[in-house]
Amino acid sequence: MQTQVGIIGAGPAGLFLAHLLYRAGIDSVILENRSRKEIEGTIRAGVLEQWVVDLMIELGQGERLKREGDFHNGVTFQFSGQRHHIAMDEMTGGKHVTVYAQHEVVKDLVAGHLAHGGRIIFGVTDVALHQIESEHALITWRGDSAEEELRCDFIAGCDGFHGPSRQAIPTACRREFQKIYPFGWLGILCEAPQSWHELIYSRHERGFALLSTRTPEIQRLYLQCEPSDDIANWSDRRIWDEMQARFGFPGWTLVEGPIFQKSILAMRSFVCETMRHGRLFLAGDAAHIVPPTGAKGLNLAVADVLVLSCALAAFYRCGTHDALERYPANCLRRIWRGERFSWYMTTMLHLDPHENEFEQRIHLAELDYVVHSRAALTALAENYVGLPFEE
Ligand code: RFL
Ligand code: PHB
């Protein structure tokens, strides 16, 4: 099998890239190790930046998003017994907070790509990258039984944090940075109506909590917990009691409902600055991870592939490698800004067990400043809805 760009991974990075390349007249094949059903059922992100919404629409994939997306004017911050509305639209010249689940984005992009004849091979195993330092890159994998080959001009490693692409770059060549946080998130999905008209980010003395949504009937909530905690320790009753304590507000009711999914995730910040090695280009979680507090991971993944698709289009149009060589530098400014914002939101809103009371007071002072200063609010809002896109 042969193509121009071999894409490993059918997450948001791989799927957006395939659409952008298709629009530029460039052929690609996506290799995905899970089934279509699995990728369309994996619960992850919820918030899309305004320009990602606009891009989905521009690519002709935004019909359902326009109909079913939940568009909010802002978010609520809760701390020290008070609630504060952060008017994102007012601070950013009319941009919105869009809640549209990642697996819905994935469903739309898979269906759209297959509909225009795009090739996605699901359920592959033993994916391996070869000859990435030569002009004839090669990906091998196993399908039903036999070993298969995909010859390509370039490989896009869009296979998430645990995929094989980053590992294909020799360790000695990789420049990586990491921070592990001393807390995790317990996330649930439940059947209940919305309790509040927008997201609530709550800093409470018992720990952080986040109220989000999925549909008018299904809600998504998170609680700060120990990263190594076992979900078996959390009965539904214990989860709701903790949610009630951390969101409690006079005259307001957090509506409970049957919990049908719960899990715990650890939190880290990670950047592999070596996003290009020979003919291999890393994009999305394969190259960087943020803690989810800033709602940035998926958005950064799409930003990478937008830059990559432009560089590949320039190569096929003019034969020049310049834009491909500049790919890491062009992405890394935005990535580090996303890392900074995600770290800022995380440290400001969580209770770090290693911090003393002085440091905790500083976080409260930061929150107090943010909600009362137009300058600080504007800075937070422009990061949250998505910084302007610079190519
Ligand atoms: P993905 O989504 O991990 O996709 C990688 C794909 O590669 C496949 N793969 C392989 N395929 C072939 N061979 C192999 N050996 C392979 N190994 C892996 C995988 O099966 C998968 O299909 O990476 P991508 O495309 O870079 O997308 C990144 C986003 O998924 C991630 O950053 C976001 O989910 C982060 N995130 C959020 N981002 C936002 O922008 N807004 C949010 O509101 C937001 N909320 C969140 C989040 C992540 C969360 N979790 C669970 C980590 C909330 C949570 C709770
Ligand atoms: C979500 O709905 O999953 C979500 C919302 C906001 C965040 C992170 C996750 O900051």
Side-chain angles (χ1 to χ4, degrees):
M1 200 183 281
Q2 194 148 2
T3 188
Q4 289 171 299
V5 182
I7 301 175
I8 308 178
L15 289 165
F16 266 101
L17 180 61
H19 276 271
L20 289 160
L21 293 178
Y22 172 79
R23 185 171 70 168
I26 300 167
D27 188 53
S28 70
V29 173
I30 305 183
L31 300 172
E32 166 59 53
N33 69 347
R34 294 185 297 155
S35 68
R36 180 173 179 182
K37 192 163 174 240
E38 272 178 282
I39 63 163
E40 291 184 347
T42 303
I43 307 299
R44 292 185 81 176
V47 177
L48 305 183
E49 290 181 3
Q50 182 69 54
W51 70 272
V52 174
V53 172
D54 297 342
L55 181 63
M56 286 235 356
I57 295 168
E58 210 183 294
L59 290 169
Q61 308 303 317
E63 281 314 306
R64 208 159 62 87
L65 165 59
K66 281 193 277 184
R67 260 194 334 267
E68 297 174 19
D70 203 357
F71 303 95
H72 302 172
N73 297 332
V75 301
T76 297
F77 274 15
Q78 178 171 336
F79 60 96
S80 306
Q82 294 198 318
R83 280 191 181 168
H84 305 264
H85 170 66
I86 313 270
M88 298 288 178
D89 57 345
E90 216 179 294
M91 297 292 143
T92 58
K95 292 183 181 167
H96 287 97
V97 177
T98 303
V99 184
Y100 188 66
Q102 177 166 333
H103 64 282
E104 304 296 351
V105 172
V106 165
K107 277 187 209 165
D108 295 344
L109 296 183
V110 166
H113 195 52
L114 295 176
H116 45 60
R119 287 181 286 176
I120 310 176
I121 307 175
F122 294 101
V124 301
T125 56
D126 299 339
V127 168
L129 298 83
H130 311 270
Q131 300 161 205
I132 55 175
E133 288 167 11
S134 83
E135 286 188 9
H136 307 284
L138 178 70
I139 309 173
T140 56
W141 80 92
R142 274 187 189 283
D144 288 337
S145 57
E147 185 168 90
E148 313 257 8
E149 283 188 357
L150 176 64
R151 298 187 175 280
C152 43
D153 300 335
F154 300 99
I155 300 175
C158 301
D159 44 359
F161 186 68
H162 300 287
S165 295
R166 191 176 65 257
Q167 307 304 334
I169 302 175
T171 318
C173 304
R174 282 198 322 251
R175 200 164 156 69
E176 297 177 343
F177 304 84
Q178 170 157 267
K179 177 177 170 63
I180 308 277
Y181 297 85
F183 34 76
W185 274 15
L186 187 164
I188 63 159
L189 282 169
C190 69
E191 282 168 40
Q194 282 183 358
S195 295
W196 190 242
H197 58 283
E198 57 191 21
L199 272 63
I200 303 178
Y201 289 83
S202 171
R203 182 185 167 109
H204 189 271
E205 61 208 21
R206 300 180 67 89
F208 170 75
L210 170 60
L211 176 81
S212 183
T213 184
R214 284 295 177 267
T215 66
E217 301 82 27
I218 295 176
Q219 309 312 320
R220 178 78 164 143
L221 295 93
Y222 300 98
L223 282 176
Q224 174 184 348
C225 65
E226 290 279 326
S228 57
D229 206 343
D230 184 348
I231 196 67
N233 295 330
W234 289 84
S235 67
D236 290 4
R237 192 61 259 151
R238 182 176 172 210
I239 292 173
W240 282 121
D241 287 347
E242 205 55 45
M243 296 283 183
Q244 295 289 0
R246 296 187 197 185
F247 288 118
F249 193 73
W252 175 80
T253 311
L254 172 65
V255 186
E256 299 183 8
I259 296 173
F260 60 91
Q261 209 251 5
K262 51 181 169 181
S263 60
I264 289 178
L265 70 117
M267 293 219 263
R268 77 170 86 216
S269 297
F270 170 83
V271 179
C272 170
E273 286 196 343
T274 317
M275 293 175 71
R276 176 194 170 203
H277 187 79
R279 294 261 161 163
L280 167 65
F281 294 82
L282 301 181
D285 278 14
H288 43 81
I289 294 285
V290 285
T293 329
K296 285 282 157 271
L298 180 157
N299 296 292
L300 287 174
V302 185
D304 289 352
V305 296
L306 185 52
V307 176
L308 182 56
S309 68
C310 292
L312 288 166
F315 171 82
Y316 285 112
R317 216 175 33 243
C318 328
T320 63
H321 284 263
D322 298 6
L324 287 170
E325 274 160 24
R326 283 198 310 273
Y327 167 71
N330 282 346
C331 292
L332 281 165
R333 277 188 76 203
R334 191 180 185 87
I335 291 166
W336 277 112
R337 289 175 184 193
E339 292 284 342
R340 185 208 67 84
F341 180 69
S342 304
W343 165 88
Y344 163 75
M345 288 282 281
T346 302
T347 49
M348 179 169 69
L349 287 161
H350 288 72
L351 211 70
D352 184 334
H354 304 307
E355 285 185 351
N356 62 26
E357 280 190 43
F358 174 84
E359 286 155 320
Q360 295 184 20
R361 284 284 194 281
I362 291 289
H363 297 311
L364 286 172
E366 175 78 42
L367 276 165
D368 183 45
Y369 173 57
V370 161
V371 300
H372 290 108
S373 152
R374 195 167 176 88
L377 262 179
T378 308
L380 188 138
E382 73 169 359
N383 277 279
Y384 193 88
V385 301
L387 289 172
F389 207 89
E390 300 160 18
E391 277 188 30

